[in-house]
Amino acid sequence: MTVLTRKARPVAAGPPATARTRRARERAWALAFASPYLLHLVALTAWPVLASLFFSMTDYDLMSPPTFVGFGNFSRLLGDEVFWRTLGNTAYFAVLFVPTQTALALLLAMALNQRLRGMALFRAAYFVPVVSSWVVVAYVADSVFNPQTGIANQVLALVGLPAENWLQDPALVIPTLAAVAVWKGVGYMMVLFLAGLQAIPEERYEAAKIDGASAWNRFRYITLPGISGTTFLVLVLTSIETLQSFEQVYVMTDGGPHGASELTVLYLYRQGFQFFQMGYASAVAWVLFVLVLVLTLVQFRLQRRWVHYA
Amino acid sequence: MKVRMLAAGTLAVLALAGTASCGGGPAGEPGAVTLRLGFYAGAGDPADTLMRELVKEFTAANPSIKVQLEVAPYVKFFERLRTQIAGGQAPQVWLSDGVLVQEFAARGALADLTDRVRTVDAAAYSGLELNRDGKGRVHGFPQGAQTPVLFYNKKLFAEAGVAEPTADWTYDDLAAAARKLTKDTNGDGRPDTYGFRAYSPGFTESWWPIVKAFGGDVVTDGNRKVAIDTPESRAALDWMLAAMGKDGFAPDYVTTESFGKGAVHTLFATGRVAMSYGIYARTLPAMSAKVDFGVAPLPKGPGGRGNVAIVNSWVVSKAATPEQADAAWKWITYFSGEKPQSRWAELGEAIPINKKAAATALPADRGPVFLEALDASDTLGTNAVWSEYTEALAKRVNEALSGATPVAEALATGQKEAQQVIDRFYAGQTQ
């Protein structure tokens, strides 16, 4: 039997000087390597965030020094009908966009998760809109939804339905924008789902087939639980993206007709950069931030019930 | 040692950056001044090219002034300008959209040019009075002016056998001619050519002058009281709705919007409409498209012609040093001179504000119509919150013009919402 003994070390002395120096040097190097990111974080994220929190409690027109108004901007928000309408527009857009894009991305991923020739081409084709700018997408969308010359109305005419004013009708503008946003964004989410699908072990399907499980049951009991982590990620990302949506409406409708497609971030932009109300715009930004945070926390809380990390 | 070198290097970089950020200061030589000059134009636009040429001539004549140009397209220019002002980095002189001068001035960003303007012969320039605020102060010196007149397509008039517009035309005359000019040549039940373009997202060439011509008003009391909710304004919008609806001689709201952003201004140039209200800048696309066109005064309504004008202006930053402000004023007076103004007029982009240049450089057939309209013009309701209150109002008026909301309801709501915007800013201020 071997007995291991350890030499007693003086308690108060701490590590030897050389070890301390080495650790200090390592810390310095770590800090040096991390410093570009830390500088970026402090200068371009933390500082603007804190500044906007300060501005949200001021009357600030960008040109004269801000004057402190406490929660004045937030109480003004409560009675601002336009703000609430933009929030309603954003929620409506999210309700249409998030489930549609998620479901469609999953369907496409399943369809393209086959070992067939030319599949890579299809995957690339669905990904092309993701990397296109919104200006380009707006032109394409116009060729589809223009009430005079667009393909959508030509299709309706073929089946004997009346033409629609897709982007000029207050009732249709948000569903149309949601459809275009799905078309642009579905490719990215499809790639995430593809990765999720390919991570499910093939043996599970083989075992289920041997046990006589139907295609629906294999989807229900193997695929869906197997990609629940990816689904959760897609839902969180899409929800945040929707609440921050700006470029699309700015380019395609500028919030029209009559504000029917004015989303909250576009409203925020106008208040801050067109109407000289940076304090009020900052308050809108913070309310939006809190909403995104609450929504994300709720999603994280609910995920415990349905997300399985195998 | 290394740490010291690094610190020294950092200080050197900071010192250089500090020096660079003081670019608005003296340019090195005694008495020399560096002037940052901002204006909006697309890269490579004829306006961009000409402005650079004029700056070159100006600096050649004023060797002690070094000019640094800051150019960007319209939206980007003003977006950047606001943050530059916030950061104390605005150009010392810039070209402002006329409707924004009071917005900048009311927030203390502009130097008061009233005393400098007194030193020039006011009778030699157009638009000076339109730049005065409620207290008679001037914060911008005119660069070029825009005012709508009636554009008409001579060829379409001749084909339809309709007499060309005259200065005596009323809105009834306009409607009668427009009906005759509206043609559905392919028989699809929708006109291929409309007699008149009534609706435009830009109200300067649409409902604003029409409301005024019908005897209504948009803002009164030093542009602080919204006064559009009147029977006269309702009559004006009803006339427009009839034009786009039961009379059918103007493309409706949806049709116009569906042409896309900016395309509304090409409807006349492409022959889709035979008549349109247009500012001076609309002559360019019409000439490029080789349209045989003329211009006539706006038709008379019960309230007159409703002429309005926008005077784009040079403004000087309040943060400019006295030397820079002097240099900026030198630039302004140079640009306002007959020769630069005549060259600018050749672009066809704006009415020259130098009256001598306007008398010689504008086309003989169209020039007098624009100049008379400019002389008769009122401001476009400019005040410290122009962008915001006009957007609130335009949203409701456009609702009415699209048929989504009854005219009376839209005007009442629009008036209330626009007034709230104005009151929020001016609360507690007497003038």
Side-chain angles (χ1 to χ4, degrees):
Chain A
M1 185 180 164
T2 311
V3 178
L4 291 173
T5 57
R6 186 177 281 174
K7 223 178 199 175
R9 195 183 277 175
V11 176
T18 49
R20 276 208 307 272
T21 312
R22 196 176 62 243
R23 272 184 213 160
R25 198 181 299 143
E26 279 174 0
R27 273 200 295 270
W29 274 110
L31 207 62
F33 279 118
S35 60
Y37 171 74
L38 288 176
L39 276 175
H40 179 274
L41 181 74
V42 171
L44 299 177
T45 305
W47 171 247
V49 164
L50 289 175
S52 86
L53 182 60
F54 168 69
F55 289 141
S56 72
M57 295 180 195
T58 66
D59 183 2
Y60 180 42
D61 64 10
L62 285 171
M63 297 182 202
S64 30
T67 49
F68 189 72
V69 293
F71 289 99
N73 287 324
F74 293 95
S75 58
R76 182 182 147 195
L77 265 178
L78 291 175
D80 183 348
E81 285 173 27
V82 183
F83 168 72
W84 290 108
R85 195 185 63 216
T86 66
L87 214 53
N89 289 344
T90 308
Y92 181 35
F93 182 68
V95 163
L96 295 177
F97 175 69
V98 177
T100 312
Q101 171 156 288
T102 308
L104 202 61
L106 176 57
L107 270 175
L108 283 172
M110 288 174 63
L112 297 180
N113 189 28
Q114 315 287 330
R115 290 195 188 90
L116 298 173
R117 283 183 73 178
M119 205 47 85
L121 195 70
F122 279 106
R123 289 176 191 169
Y126 280 109
F127 202 75
V128 167
V130 176
V131 291
S132 304
S133 84
W134 269 113
V135 176
V136 175
V137 171
Y139 273 104
V140 175
D142 183 62
S143 69
V144 176
F145 294 111
N146 188 297
Q148 310 282 327
T149 55
I151 299 162
N153 275 351
Q154 290 172 21
V155 172
L156 288 183
L158 279 177
V159 294
L161 290 172
E164 297 289 353
N165 301 313
W166 302 99
L167 290 169
Q168 283 79 36
D169 184 340
L172 285 178
V173 65
I174 285 191
T176 309
L177 287 173
V180 176
V182 167
W183 175 74
K184 184 175 183 332
V186 75
Y188 183 72
M189 300 305 163
M190 176 197 78
V191 169
L192 295 183
F193 273 125
L194 263 175
L197 287 171
Q198 286 167 5
I200 299 174
E202 196 59 35
E203 297 81 28
R204 290 187 193 170
Y205 291 106
E206 285 166 8
K209 270 183 192 169
I210 291 166
D211 288 345
S214 65
W216 167 249
N217 281 338
R218 290 199 299 275
F219 173 74
R220 170 75 183 81
Y221 295 107
I222 298 174
T223 307
L224 276 185
I227 57 162
S228 59
T230 310
T231 310
F232 174 62
L233 175 71
V234 166
L235 282 173
V236 170
L237 289 179
T238 314
S239 304
I240 294 173
E241 179 194 334
T242 312
L243 291 173
Q244 294 180 337
S245 191
F246 167 74
E247 210 178 342
Q248 182 187 11
V249 283
Y250 183 69
V251 172
M252 287 183 67
T253 64
D254 202 20
H258 327 310
S261 66
E262 190 172 18
L263 305 186
T264 309
V265 181
L266 180 64
Y267 181 67
L268 180 163
Y269 165 80
R270 283 195 172 138
Q271 295 300 319
F273 291 96
Q274 288 181 357
F275 304 151
F276 303 95
Q277 299 187 48
M278 197 50 85
Y280 190 59
S282 299
V284 175
W286 274 90
V287 169
L288 199 60
F289 166 73
V290 169
L291 285 174
V292 171
L293 185 69
V294 168
L295 183 70
T296 308
L297 287 176
V298 167
Q299 285 174 319
F300 267 87
R301 176 57 66 94
L302 291 177
Q303 62 134 348
R304 294 175 196 166
R305 298 185 189 174
W306 63 277
V307 177
H308 310 276
Y309 294 103
Chain B
M1 182 67 183
K2 279 180 183 170
V3 173
R4 274 188 211 153
M5 280 175 68
L6 190 67
T10 310
L11 276 175
V13 170
L14 286 174
L16 271 175
T19 314
S21 70
C22 298
E29 300 160 33
V33 179
T34 297
L35 187 66
R36 286 168 52 223
L37 187 155
F39 70 97
Y40 47 90
D45 271 5
D48 183 23
T49 309
L50 180 57
M51 188 68 88
R52 287 172 193 279
E53 284 175 21
L54 292 174
V55 165
K56 216 170 168 181
E57 287 172 18
F58 170 71
T59 48
N62 296 277
S64 63
I65 302 173
K66 187 182 167 201
V67 175
Q68 290 177 352
L69 284 172
E70 295 186 9
V71 193
Y74 183 91
V75 173
K76 189 56 74 185
F77 177 79
F78 284 104
E79 199 176 281
R80 194 172 67 188
L81 179 67
R82 284 165 177 133
T83 51
Q84 282 179 314
I85 295 170
Q89 293 294 322
Q92 285 84 41
V93 58
W94 72 83
L95 175 61
S96 176
D97 188 327
V99 291
L100 301 181
V101 171
Q102 289 207 37
E103 294 197 357
F104 290 119
R107 290 167 177 83
L110 303 184
D112 187 343
L113 300 179
T114 315
D115 289 339
R116 291 187 190 271
V117 167
R118 280 198 197 106
T119 64
V120 302
D121 175 14
Y125 304 101
S126 302
L128 265 175
E129 290 310 308
L130 294 172
N131 263 351
R132 285 195 195 279
D133 68 7
K135 288 182 177 169
R137 293 170 304 193
V138 182
H139 289 93
F141 194 88
Q143 177 263 0
Q146 302 287 356
T147 184
V149 298
L150 178 66
F151 281 58
Y152 63 94
N153 185 316
K154 291 185 173 184
K155 185 173 162 234
L156 294 176
F157 267 74
E159 282 173 3
V162 178
E164 290 182 6
T166 67
D168 296 325
W169 261 28
T170 63
Y171 273 81
D172 288 339
D173 297 323
L174 173 70
R179 276 189 210 102
K180 290 179 195 161
L181 288 156
T182 302
K183 307 275 181 201
D184 175 15
T185 49
N186 63 7
D188 67 352
R190 211 162 41 191
D192 310 299
T193 305
Y194 289 92
F196 181 62
R197 196 268 300 131
Y199 166 75
S200 165
F203 46 74
T204 315
E205 299 160 295
S206 176
W207 56 263
W208 195 298
I210 298 178
V211 162
K212 287 177 76 77
F214 273 73
D217 219 329
V218 182
V219 279
T220 58
D221 295 0
N223 296 337
R224 290 192 185 187
K225 188 171 186 295
V226 186
I228 199 170
D229 186 17
T230 59
E232 291 82 5
S233 305
R234 272 172 243 148
L237 296 196
D238 284 340
W239 184 90
M240 291 178 73
L241 276 169
M244 297 185 286
K246 72 178 172 62
D247 292 341
F249 60 75
D252 63 16
Y253 172 87
V254 169
T255 307
T256 313
E257 284 284 327
S258 68
F259 290 122
K261 266 186 189 175
V264 65
H265 304 310
T266 63
L267 291 179
F268 180 77
T270 53
R272 293 294 301 269
V273 297
M275 288 183 285
S276 177
Y277 286 180
I279 56 174
Y280 189 77
R282 308 297 172 223
T283 57
L284 270 181
M287 286 193 295
S288 301
K290 297 191 174 14
V291 178
D292 182 12
F293 72 100
V295 295
L298 296 180
K300 285 180 191 163
R305 297 191 196 277
N307 296 111
V308 287
I310 298 170
V311 183
N312 297 332
S313 300
W314 291 110
V315 295
V316 178
S317 168
K318 203 173 187 177
T321 63
E323 295 79 19
Q324 289 167 335
D326 288 344
W329 183 249
K330 256 189 186 172
W331 160 256
I332 292 171
T333 47
Y334 163 78
F335 190 91
S336 313
E338 190 178 346
K339 198 177 150 202
Q341 282 280 304
S342 298
R343 289 184 65 191
W344 197 258
E346 285 166 18
L347 288 177
E349 188 257 352
I351 304 168
I353 51 88
N354 182 303
K355 288 184 179 172
K356 273 189 191 166
T360 53
L362 292 180
D365 56 338
R366 298 192 290 269
V369 176
F370 279 105
L371 291 173
E372 279 168 29
L374 182 59
D375 280 344
S377 282
D378 201 353
T379 73
L380 203 62
T382 49
N383 62 22
V385 284
W386 185 88
S387 303
E388 193 178 358
Y389 96 78
T390 54
E391 189 189 88
L393 190 56
K395 202 178 273 179
R396 297 302 178 186
V397 172
N398 291 344
E399 270 182 26
L401 292 176
S402 71
T405 309
V407 169
E409 185 188 328
L411 288 180
T413 317
Q415 175 162 308
K416 190 182 111 208
E417 290 172 351
Q419 191 63 55
Q420 279 171 353
V421 172
I422 293 174
D423 290 346
R424 194 166 55 236
F425 183 84
Y426 287 109
Q429 293 185 28
T430 50
Q431 186 53 265

